[in-house]
Amino acid sequence: MEKNEKIIELVNLTRQYEDGVVAVDNVNLYVRKGEFITFLGPSGCGKTTTLRMIAGFDKPTSGKILLNGKDISELPPNKRPINTVFQRYALFPHMNVFDNIAFGLKMKRLKVTYEDENGKQFDKIEKLKKWEIAEKVEKALKMVDLEGFEKRSISTLSGGQQQRVAIARAIINEPQILLLDEPLGALDLKMRKDMQLELKALHDNIGITFIYVTHDQEEALTMSDTIVVMKDGVIQQIGTPTDIYNEPKNSFVADFIGESNIFSGTMTGDKKVRFIGHTFDCVDDFPKNEKVDVVVRPEDVFLMDEDKGQVKGVITSSIFKGVHYEMVMTVGKTEVVIQNTVERKVGEKVSIYIRPDDIHIMEKEFSSNKYDGYITKKNTVCFADGEFDCDVTQLYPGSFVDEEGYLITPDGDKIDLTDVDVSVEVGLKDIEISDDADAGGAVGNIVSMIYKGDHYQLIVRTDENEEDFVFDTEDTWNENDRVSVIIPKEKIKLTLKKEIKR
């Protein structure tokens, strides 16, 4: 098999649970032989479920898993040439290091072909010989740098050593693929950083395919050949660490990978974009007057004296982060985060310079909220798992509602709007939220919060059908806050899905 040949391929892979929750939604990707690929995303994004389906612990609802071109979707875990290392290493505390690593080999049975005195061949199922097991354990211990630890009790090992024992146990059966489900999560920060480098070195030495799951961006950037960023069971972007960091496809990726300044901007001409009150040259080409999201990494913002840069501001915060200062410059109401090895004091008037190559332009993910809805007998509108007051007269300009609740058109027609299907549109600045569950027309949890320089963009997701309300606010909330959604009736735009027969 060539180095660039696919070893694993996921085709339209979907996993839906009995309660209707879709954990993985139509995922398509491939993994090359010998690659170190990382699934990265927040809790609940579907990365571990994807890993479990590759391992065989979960079955796909639909789609296929191909190994070397063959469908293994229905193959049980023990029949797959794949081993898994979990966050909880599941080592046997009553066994020493040697016996933990050798456990799988002792259970293994091989078919051995013999020949009798008459030249007739026959097969026997046999265990591995003791010397064969000892030889393999010795080799595995050498790979994970634990020679001489054979007789040590598991309880005497550090977290990093236990993790290496778990890896040795996984690789001793010579799997084609090693799956690692947040294996460094139980370690302290220093040990985790050390083990990141050790894991990468181990991968380079043994050459098998690693599929890694983490929510830690630094781990993904440090170790991976390829990163798969996931959100809500959907792949957001696939690329090298450099591509993911420097060329994020949307504001979620930009916000999740490293630190970012994300601004709302407008294209003003050929490779020119206006944000934070200034028109900058850039390298991305978008149509004139298009609203865009602009990403600038804090380390790419150059601090200058007050009159020498492109945009003036005032330093309002400065924190020493060990290798650099992280400062905030305020321009009007907008905050620009800057990382620099030279500190500018709070209150100091400065300016900034941003190079064209350091400005990354992205299409806006959201420009408004659009839903399917229907009108109730009370002339309210139901959509997105909620019910809201609305102005039904906008369905027929010049109409009014009579005392009985019927819509009277300019032609004098009397219309009962009950159960009439409508399209609903709500702007990003037209939604408010409250921690009073009875204050709004729908209830949900904040599942995303991205800072965009002078405001936050939040997503509130409902429980029943997982409908999303996306909106901009200057208020600070926390992810997972339980809130109600408030939309003024005049901000709800309604259009008929089809003409009503009169």
Side-chain angles (χ1 to χ4, degrees), residues 42 120 228 254 329 386 423 439 464 494 498:
K120 186 177 180 180
V228 180
M329 184 188 82
S423 296
E464 185 177 350
L494 303 175
K498 60 182 180 180

Side-chain angles (χ1 to χ4, degrees), residues 278 280-281 304 308-312 351-355:
H278 182 80
F280 295 83
D281 292 325
M304 309 185 77
K308 294 185 177 180
Q310 297 158 314
V311 180
K312 297 179 181 179
S351 66
I352 56 171
Y353 177 80
I354 305 173
R355 299 176 301 193

